[in-house]
Amino acid sequence: MRFRHPDGSTVHLAYCTNVHPAETLDGVLAQLRDHCEPVRRRLGRDRLGIGLWLARRAARTLVDDPARLRGLRSELDRRGLEVVTLNGFPYDGFGSDEVKYRVYKPDWADPERLAYTTDLARLLAALLPDDVTEGTISTLPLAWRTAYGAEAARTAHAALATLARRLDALEELTGKSIRIALEPEPGCTVETTADAIAPVAALASDRIGVCVDTCHLATSFEDPLAALAALAAAGVTVPKTQLSAALHAEQPHLPEVRAALGAFAEPRFLHQTRTRTAAGLHGTDDLDEALAGGALPDGGPWRAHFHVPLHAPPAPPLTSTLDVLRTVLAALVAVAEPRTRHLEVETYTWQALPAELRPRTRGRLADGIAAELVLARDLLTDLGLKELP
């Protein structure tokens, strides 16, 4: 979906296909047929943006076989789909029964992360619509926080510097500008936008910026306006923003609130949980750890890294952090010149919801994704942007 900003530029809205992950190119093509095109049809649009996730195996197939890459481009066109952004955070296995910590491997100290992201950049340059010259890729925020010392940090910095040079060469070759956005996430070396400033600024490259995920930002109890102001003051760009909402519990000391939270503790993904006290931010790596005992103070609200459907906050006594999303979006696009032009709805946890909330059919899932995009579209038009055909 495309929108015209009052300054005349185009803002893109997509949804991320990691909600129906596939490890192979054939699986990706099936996604386009079974999920993405049905969402587009529900929206009544001739064109729908998707934030494509290409697992390592699928990406390698496309790099090795230009004919299959051309075939993917043709299939996107045939189904009324376009790609201006990729989700390069998960490497593989995102559809596994248990993802948890494996999503953070390989990290940026591993040469394979650089190789994978370089391949994604080349593929995105080939997949961009003919009238679009800029693409973005969100990526792991360096590494999970453990086993990441000074030597790993130096290696990761060097890898990102190499990537920036490769992206410069790619633009010279193709005329397409690809930018990378580190995505701060609770528990990672770069947990917050504040943590991102030093490593990104040290690179001194317009190719590398920050992906603001509004679920992650809310989970860490960051003040959204202060966070964005600090990025701007440091000259750190926001090439991409992920529109998402975290799970919020206002009174976690109450038994009924803990019971409601317990329904969201599940075995597939990590749901890092945080609370803010006078002494600072406290957290656990997963929601079940927070619920198990005294691991997390419960005198104030808890927030969990669980991507709640935008249009459907959980029933009381829980809610979502949609207001944080609204604040971030207004600060980024309701300005004279948008600070980000690539927006992606990233609710990959549809099938991890409590059983009674999960969509039981492809049709129900498509309905839900379309409803999320309608909400995002309405937020943008309320901010003065005009939806384009």
Side-chain angles (χ1 to χ4, degrees), residues 219-250:
T219 300
S220 294
F221 285 87
E222 290 194 75
D223 178 286
L225 295 181
L228 295 176
L231 291 176
V236 175
T237 61
V238 184
K240 175 177 179 177
T241 299
Q242 287 175 327
L243 305 181
S244 53
L247 188 64
H248 180 95
E250 187 66 23

Side-chain angles (χ1 to χ4, degrees), residues 46-59:
D46 293 334
R47 173 173 54 191
L48 175 67
I50 57 171
L52 199 58
W53 176 59
L54 295 171
R56 184 58 174 136
R57 184 176 170 189

Side-chain angles (χ1 to χ4, degrees), residues 194-268:
D195 295 334
I197 289 174
V200 172
L203 290 164
S205 171
D206 290 340
R207 298 290 181 188
I208 314 292
V210 167
C211 172
V212 175
D213 182 301
T214 56
C215 169
H216 301 173
L217 184 141
T219 300
S220 294
F221 285 87
E222 290 194 75
D223 178 286
L225 295 181
L228 295 176
L231 291 176
V236 175
T237 61
V238 184
K240 175 177 179 177
T241 299
Q242 287 175 327
L243 305 181
S244 53
L247 188 64
H248 180 95
E250 187 66 23
Q251 297 179 297
H253 63 285
L254 297 177
E256 61 268 28
V257 176
R258 285 178 175 259
L261 284 170
F264 287 84
E266 53 83 37
R268 186 172 176 187

Side-chain angles (χ1 to χ4, degrees), residues 78-263:
R78 187 169 76 86
R79 298 195 181 278
L81 306 169
E82 66 177 13
V83 175
V84 303
T85 189
L86 299 179
N87 187 330
F89 196 133
Y91 177 85
D92 63 8
F94 203 64
S96 302
D97 290 338
E98 183 176 337
V99 179
K100 299 290 185 180
Y101 294 96
R102 68 175 289 176
V103 76
Y104 307 107
K105 292 293 185 179
D107 62 30
W108 274 101
D110 186 328
E112 183 51 39
R113 176 61 66 170
L114 173 60
Y116 172 57
T117 311
T118 300
D119 283 348
L120 291 182
R122 292 168 176 160
L123 295 173
L124 181 55
L127 292 174
L128 287 175
D130 292 339
D131 62 342
V132 174
T133 58
E134 295 185 359
T136 56
I137 302 171
S138 49
T139 189
L140 177 77
L142 300 184
W144 186 250
R145 69 182 185 278
T146 55
Y148 187 79
E151 182 60 31
R154 285 191 289 271
T155 302
H157 183 279
L160 286 166
T162 297
L163 178 62
R165 292 192 294 272
R166 290 177 179 177
L167 297 178
D168 287 341
L170 183 64
E171 183 172 10
E172 289 184 12
L173 180 66
T174 66
K176 305 291 187 178
S177 174
I178 308 299
R179 293 194 292 164
I180 306 300
L182 300 183
E183 181 185 334
E185 176 168 316
C188 291
T189 299
V190 174
E191 173 158 340
T192 65
T193 56
D195 295 334
I197 289 174
V200 172
L203 290 164
S205 171
D206 290 340
R207 298 290 181 188
I208 314 292
V210 167
C211 172
V212 175
D213 182 301
T214 56
C215 169
H216 301 173
L217 184 141
T219 300
S220 294
F221 285 87
E222 290 194 75
D223 178 286
L225 295 181
L228 295 176
L231 291 176
V236 175
T237 61
V238 184
K240 175 177 179 177
T241 299
Q242 287 175 327
L243 305 181
S244 53
L247 188 64
H248 180 95
E250 187 66 23
Q251 297 179 297
H253 63 285
L254 297 177
E256 61 268 28
V257 176
R258 285 178 175 259
L261 284 170

